[in-house]
Amino acid sequence: MAEFDMPTLMIVSHGNSGNGGDPAGTLAEAVRDHWSGFVHHGYMRSQPSVADQLAKLKRNHDASELIVFPLFFSEGYLVFQELPRNLRDAGLDRAVILPPAINLPGFAEMVSRHVNSAMVRRGWDCSETSVFLVPHGLKTLTKALPETVRLANEVGQFCPDAEICIGNIEGNPSIRDWRKIGSRKRAVIVPMLAGGGTHATTDLPEMIAGQPDEAIEILDPIGEWAELPDLILKEAAKYVRSEMGRPNLRLSANAKDGHAASSAAIV
């Protein structure tokens, strides 16, 4: 294991079949400088695959203590069934799976801060703005997933005068119908996506099809937000404190690229 015998931290994302960048790898890189153990990443549906990465960790004896973070914005099959099965198949039943991104403590507050900042930046009044949470969704969906509805309710508590709406990229309600779903004249779009792949750069703008006279602000995908590594590190450190009996683990703030980041360290 690495310095201080800290667990290996692994970022897992869905992956893609096209040129969708490397969101899990980029996030792992952002976390690496602030975690005293090894940091790796893998994909459920592209390369490097989760199965191959787990096998590599075992060969290198880096998986005796393993924490896995699912970079997902839903509570679906991949997170709660396939990922645990991958770990079992690799003989890593003791690995800890952190909550998916949407369930991280502080996630709703982070989303709300970005929404409020966007409205302030544009000089928009909350009472005139519809906020659209846009998860990937599934083609079979006929209504919003419960976890997205829960997030919408939580964001609504921090943005009480804004109208909080949901529109999926796949399935219904569809973000294509955003003009029918929302009732306000301004719109803030929150892409609940891992990174700037095809869905974020092509599909979503085409589905929004904004016109010159429409007031629309499309935020960066949540997986690219600078605060997300901090939420992950805090949750991983919480596990190390409670499950590994290391009460002297602390998070220390470090400035990086103008943002405050947390660093897990044994002192």
Side-chain angles (χ1 to χ4, degrees):
M1 294 296 291
E3 186 180 7
F4 307 126
D5 217 18
M6 285 283 281
T8 293
L9 180 59
M10 183 173 178
I11 311 294
V12 172
S13 188
H14 181 278
N16 58 80
S17 57
N19 183 20
D22 185 18
T26 300
L27 186 57
E29 190 64 31
V31 168
R32 185 168 286 114
D33 289 343
H34 307 286
W35 183 255
S36 296
F38 294 114
V39 179
H40 294 271
H41 72 283
Y43 291 96
M44 309 291 286
R45 294 294 181 267
S46 56
Q47 300 297 321
S49 73
V50 169
D52 288 347
Q53 292 293 79
L54 292 176
K56 180 180 178 181
L57 289 176
K58 284 198 72 176
R59 285 196 305 270
N60 295 340
H61 306 288
D62 294 334
S64 58
E65 291 178 351
L66 177 63
I67 301 175
V68 181
F69 169 67
L71 180 55
F72 285 81
F73 303 96
S74 66
E75 300 175 347
Y77 166 83
L78 292 179
V79 174
F80 291 114
Q81 295 186 50
E82 185 168 325
L83 180 55
R85 186 170 67 242
N86 289 155
L87 291 165
R88 288 195 301 271
D89 291 346
L92 297 172
D93 305 65
R94 293 182 62 251
V96 170
I97 302 177
L98 298 181
I102 193 172
N103 289 345
L104 285 173
F107 185 82
E109 291 90 335
M110 178 183 69
V111 171
S112 303
R113 286 194 300 272
H114 276 253
V115 167
N116 282 317
S117 294
M119 289 188 289
V120 170
R121 185 171 60 250
R122 296 293 294 266
W124 294 351
D125 191 282
C126 294
S127 62
E128 297 179 339
T129 305
S130 296
V131 176
F132 289 87
L133 303 179
V134 187
H136 183 279
L138 298 166
K139 292 179 180 178
T140 56
L141 285 180
T142 57
K143 61 181 180 180
L145 290 169
E147 56 265 36
T148 313
V149 173
R150 184 181 67 243
L151 176 63
N153 290 334
E154 292 172 350
V155 171
Q157 295 176 17
F158 295 102
C159 308
D161 295 324
E163 178 184 49
I164 312 299
C165 307
I166 297 170
N168 298 299
I169 292 176
E170 292 189 357
N172 289 308
S174 172
I175 193 60
R176 289 188 188 277
D177 300 323
W178 67 274
R179 294 177 182 87
K180 297 178 182 177
I181 296 171
S183 64
R184 310 284 176 83
K185 61 182 182 180
R186 310 181 195 282
V188 175
I189 311 296
V190 184
M192 296 172 60
L193 300 169
T198 302
H199 284 316
T201 60
T202 302
D203 296 342
L204 184 54
E206 289 180 354
M207 296 175 80
I208 297 293
Q211 302 302 308
D213 61 339
E214 291 180 317
I216 307 167
E217 175 85 0
I218 302 179
L219 304 184
D220 292 333
I222 294 180
E224 297 181 347
W225 291 3
E227 303 96 323
L228 185 59
D230 188 63
L231 298 186
I232 298 166
L233 287 162
K234 286 181 178 178
E235 191 66 16
K238 191 187 305 180
Y239 157 76
V240 176
R241 287 194 194 98
S242 63
E243 299 298 325
M244 298 179 63
R246 292 174 176 169
N248 54 345
L249 182 77
R250 65 175 172 82
L251 290 176
S252 59
N254 293 291
K256 183 178 181 182
D257 298 330
H259 298 284
S262 289
S263 174
I266 297 291
V267 294

